[in-house]
């Protein structure tokens, strides 16, 4: 290995979303619009503290809680509630094959999952949707450099919809036993395109037949449709199809296991608290204790133990029936606002005669729209109109409201 002076290391670029936010903040143009950063904004395009979260903060303040270390695996009360939210009370309370650990948001959960898979499964490939959240690639590059990253078709630019046939064909022809496949549980980032329930069942059948290890990334539960149970449907269906007691321990088509990387940052508006969980599901006739011990060891080496405040907030909200009902209304409000600006943008583009079919904007779900704009068009939007979005055409809809949607629509028409 060649020794280098650390002062000679090349400067690496910032991730695009962070670089865009920095450029937006430096821009002095009065009508600039930030459609790049994946965070919720209210109708004035300002940060919004969920009322249920604010009330939980006040409750904790009045309790005068301490600030001691958590166990390595995290806050057990938080993990119980996070698991119930994700899997539903029935599965969460009865399934002994689910092990849960608190993580540094969804990113930390994904990184821990990649480390564990690389060290213990030794997969040949990890299959990642084309396109995907860009951090998936970096996480696997850093945590599992010996695992080959392979793309499976996901977005069909012709229909601006899901390429299910291409996805299934790639997994059928290229995936091997114990290979890993990353799936977005809801509100796919960046496309906003989710499989239907029947399509999810077809994907699960291929996973079971090919004996793949699934890593679900669940970053927007409740935020996508406004209903937390509906947004967790795919995860619960996979659990039912892959890991129920009806499956025989000698089954030749049982996958090795499944991870769910759960972020509570976005659906609680706790971005800076970095709160998340990792759930490992293994076949019910096996013991999870050994696998959980290896995960705990990885956490110890990385962060020693997770942070406390965000976990307390989530537990306080979900453990109180009245607060939980308020939180459900909060996420419904967020989801409804995003749906409303989707309809506004589509209507405005059609009203001003923007070239093309814009129905996909309203058909997609979640915070993002995969607009279909080219790299050159996105660059022109930034340079001429001070509108910032990712170069792949992903638009964060929370940056839109009634006062700027006409300006954005007109700018899009100008660059087509």
């Amino acid at each position: 290995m060649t020794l280098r002076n650390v002062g000679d290391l090349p400067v690496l670029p910032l991730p695009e979303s962070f670089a865009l936010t920095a450029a937006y903040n430096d821009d002095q143009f009065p009508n600039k619009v930030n459609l790049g950063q994946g965070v919720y904004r209210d109708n004035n395009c300002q940060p919004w503290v969920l009322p249920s979260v604010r009330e939980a903060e006040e409750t904790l303040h009045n309790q005068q809680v301490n600030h001691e270390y958590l166990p390595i695996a995290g806050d057990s009360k938080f993990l119980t509630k996070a698991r119930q939210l994700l899997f539903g009370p029935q599965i969460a309370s009865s399934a002994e094959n689910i092990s849960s650990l608190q993580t540094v948001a969804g990113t930390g959960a994904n990184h821990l999952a990649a480390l564990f898979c690389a060290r213990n499964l030794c997969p040949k490939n990890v299959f990642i949707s084309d396109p995907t959240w860009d951090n998936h690639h970096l996480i696997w590059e850093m945590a599992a450099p010996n695992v080959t990253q392979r793309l499976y078709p996901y977005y069909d630019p012709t229909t601006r919809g899901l390429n299910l046939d291409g996805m299934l064909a790639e997994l059928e022809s290229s995936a091997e036993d114990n290979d890993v496949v990353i799936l977005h549980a809801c509100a796919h980032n960046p496309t906003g395109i989710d499989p239907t329930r029947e399509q999810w069942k077809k994907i699960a059948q291929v996973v079971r037949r090919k004996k793949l290890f699934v890593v679900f990334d669940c970053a927007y539960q409740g935020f996508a449709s406004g209903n937390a149970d509906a947004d967790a449907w795919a995860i619960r269906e996979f659990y039912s199809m892959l890991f129920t007691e009806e499956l025989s321990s000698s089954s030749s088509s049982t996958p090795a296991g499944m991870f769910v990387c759960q972020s509570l940052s976005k659906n609680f508006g706790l971005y800076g608290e970095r709160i998340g969980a990792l759930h490992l599901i293994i076949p019910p006739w096996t013991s999870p204790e050994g696998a959980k011990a290896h995960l705990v060891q990885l956490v110890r080496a990385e962060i020693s133990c997770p942070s406390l405040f965000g976990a307390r907030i989530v537990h306080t909200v979900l453990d109180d029936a009245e607060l939980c009902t308020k939180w459900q209304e909060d996420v419904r409000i967020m989801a409804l606002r995003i749906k409303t600006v989707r309809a506004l943008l589509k209507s405005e583009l059609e009203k001003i005669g923007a070239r093309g079919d814009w129905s996909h904007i309203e058909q997609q779900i979640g915070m993002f729209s995969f607009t279909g704009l080219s790299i050159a068009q996105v660059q022109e939007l930034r340079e001429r109109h001070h509108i910032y979005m990712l170069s792949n055409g992903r638009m964060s809809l929370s940056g839109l409201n009634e006062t700027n949607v006409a300006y954005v629509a007109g700018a899009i028409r100008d660059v087509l």
Side-chain angles (χ1 to χ4, degrees):
M1 183 175 65
T2 303
L3 296 177
R4 292 195 292 182
N5 186 325
V6 292
D8 296 330
L9 290 173
V11 176
L12 299 177
L14 279 174
E16 185 181 10
S17 58
F18 287 85
L20 274 178
T21 299
Y24 170 83
N25 290 336
D26 289 340
D27 192 335
Q28 300 303 307
F29 186 70
N31 295 324
K32 63 183 180 178
V33 183
N34 187 357
L35 305 178
Q37 193 172 21
V39 294
Y40 180 76
R41 293 290 182 256
D42 65 16
N43 201 44
N44 296 313
C45 295
Q46 296 300 311
W48 188 53
V49 178
L50 277 60
S52 58
V53 167
R54 185 66 82 197
E55 192 169 332
E57 289 175 338
E58 294 172 358
T59 298
L60 290 172
H61 175 73
N62 292 334
Q63 290 176 353
Q64 295 186 336
V65 294
N66 61 38
H67 300 280
E68 295 299 298
Y69 284 125
L70 283 173
I72 298 173
D75 184 337
S76 60
K77 294 178 180 179
F78 157 75
L79 288 169
T80 296
K81 290 301 177 181
R83 191 163 51 245
Q84 289 174 353
L85 179 66
L86 191 63
F87 293 97
Q90 184 175 355
I91 293 176
S93 61
S94 62
E96 297 181 354
N97 60 326
I98 303 177
S99 298
S100 304
L101 292 88
Q102 186 179 332
T103 61
V104 183
T107 299
N110 273 276
H111 187 252
L112 191 59
L115 279 173
F116 180 91
C117 288
R119 288 170 173 260
N120 299 291
L121 286 180
C122 301
K124 181 179 179 181
N125 306 295
V126 55
F127 287 85
I128 303 174
S129 68
D130 182 18
T132 193
W133 176 48
D134 60 353
N135 215 16
H136 282 147
H137 295 293
L138 182 59
I139 287 169
W140 278 83
E141 176 187 335
M142 295 296 183
N146 294 328
V147 180
T148 300
Q149 295 187 31
R150 301 188 64 157
L151 299 179
Y152 62 81
Y154 192 87
Y155 176 72
D156 185 339
T158 303
T159 64
R160 293 180 178 173
L162 177 66
N163 184 359
L164 180 68
D165 291 341
M167 173 184 183
L168 297 182
E170 176 62 19
L171 294 178
E172 287 278 17
S173 63
S174 302
E176 303 178 15
D177 287 6
N178 268 21
D179 275 354
V180 176
V181 57
I182 298 176
L183 301 172
H184 299 231
C186 63
H188 183 274
N189 180 5
T191 68
I193 300 164
D194 289 346
T196 66
R197 292 188 174 186
E198 287 306 310
Q199 289 171 333
W200 274 124
K201 290 179 181 180
K202 292 179 179 179
I203 296 167
Q205 289 166 359
V206 172
V207 165
R208 183 169 60 189
R209 185 166 56 254
K210 299 290 291 186
K211 292 186 280 188
L212 306 181
F213 195 103
V214 175
V215 175
F216 264 114
D217 192 347
C218 185
Y220 296 98
Q221 185 187 0
F223 198 160
S225 68
N227 184 299
D229 290 326
D231 292 345
W233 186 90
I235 292 169
R236 299 174 190 181
E237 180 67 14
F238 268 60
Y239 180 89
S240 176
M241 290 183 66
L242 304 181
F243 300 103
T244 54
E245 293 289 349
E246 287 76 14
L247 290 171
S248 165
S249 61
S250 61
S251 172
S252 62
S253 60
T254 303
M258 181 171 87
F259 272 126
V260 182
C261 305
Q262 181 185 22
S263 172
L264 285 305
S265 298
K266 298 173 179 66
N267 52 7
F268 281 80
L270 295 169
Y271 300 103
E273 303 305 331
R274 314 307 295 136
I275 181 68
L278 179 66
H279 308 274
L280 171 64
I281 304 96
I282 61 175
W285 52 85
T286 58
S287 171
E289 294 306 314
K292 185 173 182 179
H294 281 260
L295 286 168
V296 166
Q297 187 180 61
L298 292 174
V299 173
R300 171 62 173 162
E302 285 204 330
I303 60 171
S304 191
C305 64
S307 59
L308 178 57
F309 185 68
R312 278 178 169 160
I313 289 288
V314 173
H315 172 258
T316 300
V317 170
L318 296 181
D319 195 46
D320 182 282
E322 183 178 348
L323 268 185
C324 187
T325 298
K326 289 182 179 179
W327 172 76
Q328 291 168 347
E329 177 61 16
D330 291 341
V331 293
R332 192 191 70 82
I333 288 171
M334 290 192 290
L336 181 60
R337 193 183 101 70
I338 297 300
K339 291 177 184 177
T340 299
V341 295
R342 281 187 182 278
L344 283 173
L345 179 60
K346 172 181 175 288
S347 175
E348 190 66 31
L349 287 165
E350 292 174 343
K351 184 175 73 175
I352 64 176
R355 182 166 54 87
D357 180 3
W358 297 98
S359 58
H360 61 284
I361 291 178
E362 204 166 13
Q363 292 165 359
Q364 295 162 359
I365 191 171
M367 188 186 296
F368 304 119
S369 174
F370 214 50
T371 59
L373 296 172
S374 69
I375 294 175
Q377 289 167 335
V378 169
Q379 185 67 23
E380 191 174 358
L381 280 175
R382 175 178 169 180
E383 292 176 353
R384 287 179 51 201
H385 300 282
H386 304 264
I387 296 172
Y388 294 77
M389 69 174 72
L390 294 191
S391 59
N392 62 9
R394 190 200 80 173
M395 174 189 295
S396 181
L397 292 153
S398 68
L400 291 176
N401 60 19
E402 290 90 343
T403 63
N404 66 17
V405 68
Y407 174 73
V408 171
I412 291 174
R413 181 193 58 186
D414 287 348
V415 303
L416 293 175

